[in-house]
Amino acid sequence: MSSRWSESVRHAFAWRLGLWYAALFVASTATLALVTYLLLGRALAAQDHDVLQSMLTRYAGEYARAGLPGLRGLLEADASEGRHERLMVRVVNDQAEVVYFATPPGWTDFDLSGLDEPRRSPSPWQAIADPTGGAVLELGSVDLPYGVTVQVGRSSHVRDELLRRFRERALQVGALVVLVAAIGGLLLTTAGLRPIRELDATLRRILRTGRLDARVATLGSDDPLDQLGTLVNEMLGRLQTLVGGMHGALDNVAHDLRTPLTRFRNVAEAAIVANDPAAWKEGLARALEEADRVNATLTALMDISQAETGTMQLGYELVDVRQVTEQAVSLFADEAEDRGLTLTVEVPDGLRVEADATRLRQVLANLVENAVKYTERGGQIALIAAAAGNDVTWTIRDTGIGIAGEHLPFVWDRLYRADASRSARGLGLGLSLVKAIVEAHGGTVAVSSAPGAGSSFSFRLPATRPARRD
């Protein structure tokens, strides 16, 4: 039911959008046609007025040259040549007598009785309507010397007929425009909403299956809807990474907590069965140790997950490399001394790096602890930092037991411990945490080792904070 309802909503929106497109197109076309019609009417009227004005000017000039006889001669000549075919010409003398009057056929409907009345308007133009509601007679007059008046008129019949045909054609074209607008609106809506339909289908597929690997089909263009699909794909990619990290963290937690919790239970049961205060005290001490181990495991796993999924909050600051390196080394100086190990630090003065000082100290501490743990008595450990172009590199070398070549590709994996190191206490998460934090800073890690020849762990960080991708 919900699917059918949402489908009907999408179709209703598509139809609405198509109607908006069509209505806008039709309205624009109708406005253009109306403006064209008005401009055409004005142009035709102006053309008629120009013809009448030209005739009036010509007759006024002839009257000024040859008087009334000359004017009559010119009028008769024009009539014989057909220049009065569509014109009404009338000449009135100072006695209000019509000395010349000519009208073409078809003008019998106009009421010309008011032509002898004085004009009430200063305009030289006047219009006489056809009583039957048809054309209009547009008349121009010019007053000449000695009381002579020349009047020239022209019917708007031809102009009205032309405009009528324009209206008929406009209506026919308008019907075609409505059809084209409807089809065009549907096509534009179908094409324009394709990215939205793709987005809708992708999100519904994710909701239905729960899989975050679905992606919106995009064209890689600059179209805003296509770019929206690209952003949604990036968001889905980040969500997939986050959810995958959460699943991995939960799997690791379930795996890693099983052993310490089992030991915790065994210690507690052994203390209860012993029924001895001394055994109870020892049991509680071992239980606290196992609880601390569980807490350390959880903290390390959460840190690794946050770093790998990009959610770890890093407080960038300008860090003195010598100072943070010596602080990390000092945490294990006593243990190294007890084991007869030689710890040396080589860091040039003034070396700086933009990083999270606490996390950087954690990385160095884990690597130094690892070196101390697996270096035999009397061995040597050297920690070297140096600038390398736009980066800063750290190298921790030891003369410890080393790592076999088949184990090197896996030393950064969570919980991985080579056979030679299984007897040593540890979570198996230290190197994984180192790699995760370094990569969260935009850096890289590397390792080289050989059994009996010691190991060399190194990592590289950008000297300046890498640009964040929003």
Side-chain angles (χ1 to χ4, degrees):
M1 180 67 181
S2 175
S3 176
R4 289 197 300 271
W5 180 82
S6 60
E7 188 72 18
S8 64
V9 169
R10 291 199 303 275
H11 286 166
F13 175 72
W15 277 109
R16 261 198 328 271
L17 189 59
L19 287 176
W20 291 341
Y21 278 130
L24 180 61
F25 185 74
V26 171
S28 301
T29 305
T31 301
L32 179 61
L34 178 60
V35 171
T36 303
Y37 176 79
L38 295 176
L39 292 178
L40 177 61
R42 292 182 60 181
L44 293 175
Q47 183 179 21
D48 287 348
H49 289 174
D50 289 343
V51 171
L52 297 179
Q53 185 63 51
S54 174
M55 299 296 289
L56 289 173
T57 302
R58 184 164 177 265
Y59 294 150
E62 182 63 21
Y63 178 82
R65 186 184 67 83
L68 187 57
L71 176 59
R72 292 191 61 174
L74 179 60
L75 290 172
E76 292 173 355
D78 285 349
S80 63
E81 294 176 2
R83 293 185 178 181
H84 295 168
E85 181 180 356
R86 296 181 181 179
L87 298 179
M88 183 213 77
V89 182
R90 185 171 181 265
V91 180
V92 181
N93 62 16
D94 57 346
Q95 303 297 322
E97 298 175 347
V98 178
V99 297
Y100 184 87
F101 181 72
T103 59
W107 281 27
T108 56
D109 293 333
F110 291 110
D111 183 10
L112 305 180
S113 60
L115 294 181
D116 294 331
E117 298 178 1
R119 293 196 304 272
R120 299 178 182 179
S121 172
S123 173
W125 306 103
Q126 62 184 115
I128 301 175
D130 186 346
T132 61
V136 174
L137 174 62
E138 293 180 329
L139 190 71
S141 301
V142 60
D143 294 328
L144 302 177
Y146 307 108
V148 175
T149 300
V150 177
Q151 297 171 324
V152 180
R154 187 171 189 174
S155 172
S156 65
H157 173 74
V158 175
R159 185 172 74 223
D160 294 342
E161 179 64 19
L162 181 60
L163 293 176
R164 184 188 65 79
R165 292 182 181 179
F166 180 90
R167 290 193 300 269
E168 290 178 353
R169 297 297 183 270
L171 290 176
Q172 294 172 358
V173 173
L176 181 61
V177 165
V178 171
L179 179 62
V180 171
I183 297 175
L186 181 61
L187 294 177
L188 285 174
T189 302
T190 302
L193 292 182
R194 185 192 61 79
I196 295 181
R197 289 196 299 273
E198 292 282 352
L199 177 60
D200 179 81
T202 300
L203 295 180
R204 289 182 182 280
R205 187 159 59 251
I206 292 173
L207 290 175
R208 186 175 62 254
T209 63
R211 295 172 58 90
L212 293 174
D213 56 353
R215 294 294 183 269
V216 181
T218 59
L219 302 176
S221 65
D222 293 333
D223 181 78
L225 291 179
D226 196 62
Q227 291 181 349
L228 175 63
T230 301
L231 291 176
V232 170
N233 287 339
E234 292 181 2
M235 180 190 69
L236 290 174
R238 293 192 181 185
L239 287 176
Q240 187 177 12
T241 301
L242 291 174
V243 172
M246 291 174 59
H247 288 166
L250 291 174
D251 291 343
N252 288 325
V253 167
H255 180 274
D256 293 345
L257 293 187
R258 185 177 293 111
T259 299
L261 287 177
T262 300
R263 285 200 298 263
F264 188 95
R265 180 182 178 85
N266 292 338
V267 168
E269 288 179 346
I272 292 174
V273 171
N275 196 23
D276 180 13
W280 295 344
K281 183 176 182 180
E282 181 182 357
L284 288 174
R286 292 179 60 189
L288 287 175
E289 181 182 352
E290 294 299 334
D292 290 340
R293 183 179 178 86
V294 169
N295 184 62
T297 300
L298 286 173
T299 301
L301 284 172
M302 294 306 297
D303 285 345
I304 293 172
S305 296
Q306 289 179 356
E308 289 180 345
T309 57
T311 59
M312 176 178 281
Q313 299 296 321
L314 298 176
Y316 280 92
E317 58 181 303
L318 194 59
V319 178
D320 186 306
V321 175
R322 172 182 285 275
Q323 181 181 4
V324 73
T325 302
E326 290 178 346
Q327 289 173 352
V329 171
S330 66
L331 297 175
F332 304 95
D334 293 339
E335 183 179 354
E337 184 178 354
D338 292 341
R339 299 185 59 181
L341 302 178
T342 302
L343 265 174
T344 59
V345 177
E346 299 179 21
V347 181
D349 293 332
L351 188 59
R352 301 285 190 274
V353 65
E354 275 193 87
D356 185 313
T358 302
R359 293 297 184 181
L360 179 56
R361 192 180 301 111
Q362 189 176 9
V363 168
L364 292 168
N366 273 309
L367 292 175
V368 173
E369 179 187 19
N370 193 67
V372 170
K373 185 185 299 183
Y374 297 113
T375 300
E376 298 176 347
R377 179 175 296 276
Q380 297 179 353
I381 301 173
L383 200 158
I384 304 169
N390 295 325
D391 300 333
V392 177
T393 62
W394 285 263
T395 303
I396 297 88
R397 297 194 184 99
D398 62 62
T399 58
I401 60 177
I403 306 171
E406 64 269 20
H407 297 300
L408 282 179
F410 309 104
V411 297
W412 305 107
D413 295 346
R414 300 180 192 179
L415 309 175
Y416 185 83
R417 301 178 69 187
D419 293 337
S421 65
R422 290 190 182 276
S423 60
R425 299 278 293 180
L427 303 177
L429 294 173
L431 293 179
S432 299
L433 183 59
V434 166
K435 181 174 183 290
I437 294 176
V438 168
E439 291 182 348
H441 281 79
T444 58
V445 296
V447 59
S448 61
S449 182
S455 303
S456 175
F457 288 86
S458 63
F459 66 96
R460 176 188 293 257
L461 295 183
T464 57
R465 178 179 181 176
R468 181 176 178 177
R469 184 180 180 184
D470 295 327

